[in-house]
Amino acid sequence: LEKVAAIQFDRVIDIAKRRGIIFQSSEIYGGISGFFDFGPIGCLMKRKIVDSWREFFLTPEDRIYEMETCTIMPEQVLRASGHLKDFIDPATQCKGCNSIFRADNLIEESTGQFVEGMDPVELTRIISEKGVKCPKCGGELGPTRIFNLMLATNVGPVEGSIAYLRPETAQGIFVNFKNICGSTRAKLPFGVAQVGTSYRNEISPRQWLIRLREFRQMEIEMFINPKAEEPPQLRQFSHVKLPILTREAQAGGGQPIELSVEESLKVLPNKFLAYFMAKELLWYQQLGIPKGAIRFRHMNPNETPHYSKGNFDMEIRFDFGWKEIVGNAYRTDFDLKTHMANSGKDLTCLEGEEKVLPHVVEPSFGIDRTFYALLLYSYRDDGRGWEWFAFPPRIAPYLCAVFPLVSKDGLPERAEGIYKGLRSDFDATFDSSGSIGRRYARSDEIGIPYCITCDYQTLEDSTVTIRNRDDSSQVRTSVGDLPEVLGGLMRGDISFSAAGKPMK
Ligand code: GAP
């Protein structure tokens, strides 16, 4: 953890740009802050993160269906959901340079006082009493005003039909609840997931992928009978210890306490939350985030979202401090009830003879923040200018790269043949340009775990070398064994030294 705090994150941002992982959006025109694009390598990795999440969370036992809904929604939906009224942040404008800032963040940064959720009058008072000034020009700050975070647009050729870019993917699921129930005939508990883009007109976007205006979420809305005891699969995770930062600990500057899943049920507002929290902890560890860098923070009442009866958000320790990465909310029947009242449609479902309005437990994952954490915790450097990402093999953009040692004497053709043979079963890439050292460096920079090199010996005995990204060690193995060896390495069934004959 200490190493992570010391990482020069600018180095990571530089590689990410140079190697096609993340680009500033519309950069050639100067871009707008809070918008980033995934490059060719970033796109491959994002797909793998999402696939890994689907495999881990959207299991048939949990009956979690996936859907994809529109990103623009009519005003009625977001009025009913409470976003029009309550999805707000406090803003203050500098009287000198006119820059606009989030008032609560500014106070927290300059005084250390935690003020999220306080009303604007209070924030204005604190700014004046504590002498908080504009961080850009040192000027005086104006009164704090409330600012709605949704981005509005007009639909159709005639002005006046206001719609909003969705601030969360969840609403598309709630307004479809009747369709989902009717088409799947699913019985409670069941879930509906969505992976997609959400938009928030953040007052001051910053910290690279952390606070964006357009970002990507993976959300699960788990619909449950409010009388349900606990998720059927919960006991599978009874061995997991959850690091929970209680409200009392936060008030007293204390540390998280480790609670077993069983013990956590006493502090969580709903038992289904424990189930998802245990799985989140395991999944993020699989991505390479150490357990010590993960905690679940019980949000204080003034920062709990308007729709939630209690949030235990998963936070990760980043280079700049702790930050929420998964929102875990007990949304109760808040959303279905309001959409039922406002649309006039019956959104209950039948449980036996009884009509039930389901409650909702929601884990909401941010893809961009997950990506930031993955890059941060995978970044390595040897102190002599060699840098690489130790991505888990399943998340790396490619599992292996195939190289000819030199570009002559039939080696490129032989290497290409090997590459083509592997491509149908593995994510493999081929590179024949530049010296072999440069090719190793380039593949390390995008975290490819294994480089397969075809040399003169390959022409004689059909063996190749495999180089391990993490320590540059090499083994020699036969081309015929490559599929089995690579499969074993990817699954973690074999160690690298067992992948072939060690080389000096
Ligand atoms: N549907 C619930 C919901 O949206 P949230 O806590 O506001 O809850 C969930 O957001 C996750 O989405 C966050 O934990 C974070 O990872 C991501 N997220 C939210 N706002 C973001 C922003 N402005 N930029 C990047 N990611 C964001």
Side-chain angles (χ1 to χ4, degrees), residues 168 170 200 202 209-212 215 217 219 307 324-327 331 362 364-366 369:
E168 55 172 358
R200 297 183 190 176
E202 296 284 355
L209 303 183
I210 295 293
R211 199 185 310 152
L212 302 175
F215 57 98
Q217 294 184 309
E219 300 199 294
Y307 48 72
E324 173 197 332
I325 192 156
V326 185
R331 293 182 82 127
E362 175 198 63
S364 169
F365 299 68
R369 290 185 190 179

Side-chain angles (χ1 to χ4, degrees), residues 407-421:
S407 286
K408 56 181 184 180
D409 302 331
L411 291 183
E413 293 75 14
R414 183 77 174 99
E416 203 171 346
I418 295 170
Y419 157 67
K420 285 185 176 154

Side-chain angles (χ1 to χ4, degrees), residues 481-494:
D481 288 343
L482 274 178
E484 201 185 322
V485 165
L486 287 172
L489 289 171
M490 184 170 72
R491 291 187 299 272
D493 293 348
I494 59 167

Side-chain angles (χ1 to χ4, degrees), residues 172-398:
I173 296 175
F174 298 136
V175 296
N176 268 297
F177 186 69
K178 205 174 158 55
N179 288 333
I180 298 163
C181 285
S183 57
T184 62
R185 301 168 64 222
K187 292 273 165 250
L188 301 175
F190 70 89
V192 183
Q194 174 152 219
V195 177
T197 313
S198 295
Y199 305 83
R200 297 183 190 176
N201 200 2
E202 296 284 355
I203 296 166
S204 33
R206 58 171 135 182
Q207 286 159 328
W208 203 46
L209 303 183
I210 295 293
R211 199 185 310 152
L212 302 175
R213 289 177 165 141
E214 173 170 344
F215 57 98
R216 292 134 275 253
Q217 294 184 309
M218 307 184 281
E219 300 199 294
I220 299 172
E221 309 306 317
M222 196 71 200
F223 295 97
I224 61 176
N225 187 324
K227 294 186 197 139
E229 272 305 293
E230 61 180 46
Q233 272 68 253
L234 181 68
R235 302 288 147 175
Q236 280 175 22
F237 298 98
S238 43
H239 61 284
V240 178
K241 296 255 188 221
L242 298 168
I244 293 186
L245 189 64
T246 61
R247 283 181 179 163
E248 296 69 42
Q250 288 170 62
Q255 295 298 314
I257 42 169
E258 293 249 322
L259 296 181
S260 68
V261 164
E262 182 75 41
E263 289 163 337
S264 77
L265 300 179
K266 296 191 193 103
V267 297
L268 299 178
N270 188 287
K271 294 183 179 180
F272 280 76
L273 273 181
Y275 177 64
F276 285 113
M277 285 160 60
K279 290 189 80 169
E280 287 159 23
L281 185 62
L282 298 175
W283 187 67
Y284 276 95
Q285 284 179 263
Q286 278 185 19
L287 290 189
I289 316 296
K291 191 174 175 196
I294 300 177
R295 70 182 188 191
F296 294 92
R297 189 166 72 79
H298 189 187
M299 292 191 106
N300 287 301
N302 54 1
E303 36 166 3
T304 304
H306 64 274
Y307 48 72
S308 173
K309 198 175 165 187
N311 262 62
F312 279 75
D313 292 351
M314 200 194 108
E315 297 185 332
I316 284 187
R317 198 178 130 184
F318 286 88
D319 49 321
F320 56 83
W322 290 93
K323 191 76 192 168
E324 173 197 332
I325 192 156
V326 185
N328 288 306
Y330 177 29
R331 293 182 82 127
T332 66
D333 59 1
F334 178 92
D335 300 274
L336 290 183
K337 197 186 217 164
T338 183
H339 286 308
M340 187 153 139
N342 284 281
S343 68
K345 302 283 186 302
D346 181 6
L347 300 182
T348 58
C349 46
L350 266 187
E351 286 281 289
E353 297 293 291
E354 201 189 347
K355 273 189 160 187
V356 172
L357 190 61
H359 277 209
V360 170
V361 165
E362 175 198 63
S364 169
F365 299 68
I367 297 181
D368 308 81
R369 290 185 190 179
T370 302
F371 213 90
Y372 187 128
L374 176 70
L375 291 174
L376 179 68
Y377 280 93
S378 304
Y379 176 78
R380 306 280 185 273
D381 87 278
D382 70 352
R384 296 191 301 273
W386 194 276
E387 294 170 294
W388 73 102
F389 287 110
F391 297 136
R394 282 177 187 277
I395 302 295
Y398 302 103

Side-chain angles (χ1 to χ4, degrees), residues 121-141:
V121 178
E122 274 291 279
L123 295 173
T124 306
R125 185 185 58 75
I126 296 174
I127 287 178
S128 142
E129 276 179 18
K130 302 258 166 101
V132 180
K133 297 281 183 240
C134 169
K136 276 203 187 142
C137 74
E140 197 186 326
L141 295 166

Side-chain angles (χ1 to χ4, degrees), residues 1-236:
L1 287 184
E2 270 50 53
K3 267 195 203 151
V4 159
I7 285 180
Q8 299 288 317
F9 200 71
D10 286 353
R11 296 288 320 134
V12 175
I13 296 177
D14 176 59
I15 302 178
K17 178 176 177 194
R18 214 161 24 80
R19 300 311 316 279
I21 301 175
I22 301 286
F23 303 131
Q24 162 79 54
S25 192
S26 305
E27 190 190 18
I28 58 166
Y29 289 101
I32 326 176
S33 55
F35 293 89
F36 285 94
D37 296 333
F38 283 77
I41 297 296
C43 204
L44 287 171
M45 293 179 62
K46 180 166 80 69
R47 195 160 71 209
K48 291 188 178 191
I49 293 174
V50 174
D51 284 348
S52 159
W53 178 84
R54 285 193 173 108
E55 200 178 304
F56 198 80
F57 289 95
L58 312 192
T59 62
E61 303 85 69
D62 287 329
R63 277 192 305 240
I64 302 184
Y65 306 93
E66 188 175 343
M67 63 184 304
E68 201 171 311
T69 70
C70 286
T71 58
I72 293 182
M73 304 191 82
E75 189 170 39
Q76 297 97 299
V77 171
L78 295 147
R79 186 184 297 285
S81 68
H83 284 87
L84 221 47
K85 179 170 147 294
D86 291 322
F87 204 57
I88 47 179
D89 271 342
T92 175
Q93 187 165 24
C94 172
K95 291 181 180 169
C97 69
N98 292 330
S99 299
I100 300 179
F101 305 95
R102 239 182 94 163
D104 50 354
N105 288 156
L106 217 52
I107 294 174
E108 277 160 38
E109 279 161 15
S110 47
T111 69
Q113 188 181 346
F114 189 66
V115 291
E116 191 171 332
M118 261 187 200
D119 74 59
V121 178
E122 274 291 279
L123 295 173
T124 306
R125 185 185 58 75
I126 296 174
I127 287 178
S128 142
E129 276 179 18
K130 302 258 166 101
V132 180
K133 297 281 183 240
C134 169
K136 276 203 187 142
C137 74
E140 197 186 326
L141 295 166
T144 300
R145 296 185 205 289
I146 287 306
F147 176 83
N148 191 290
L149 289 180
M150 283 196 297
L151 282 147
T153 186
N154 273 298
V155 176
V158 188
E159 293 229 346
S161 179
I162 291 184
Y164 291 92
L165 278 71
R166 65 180 179 196
E168 55 172 358
T169 73
Q171 292 305 322
I173 296 175
F174 298 136
V175 296
N176 268 297
F177 186 69
K178 205 174 158 55
N179 288 333
I180 298 163
C181 285
S183 57
T184 62
R185 301 168 64 222
K187 292 273 165 250
L188 301 175
F190 70 89
V192 183
Q194 174 152 219
V195 177
T197 313
S198 295
Y199 305 83
R200 297 183 190 176
N201 200 2
E202 296 284 355
I203 296 166
S204 33
R206 58 171 135 182
Q207 286 159 328
W208 203 46
L209 303 183
I210 295 293
R211 199 185 310 152
L212 302 175
R213 289 177 165 141
E214 173 170 344
F215 57 98
R216 292 134 275 253
Q217 294 184 309
M218 307 184 281
E219 300 199 294
I220 299 172
E221 309 306 317
M222 196 71 200
F223 295 97
I224 61 176
N225 187 324
K227 294 186 197 139
E229 272 305 293
E230 61 180 46
Q233 272 68 253
L234 181 68
R235 302 288 147 175
Q236 280 175 22

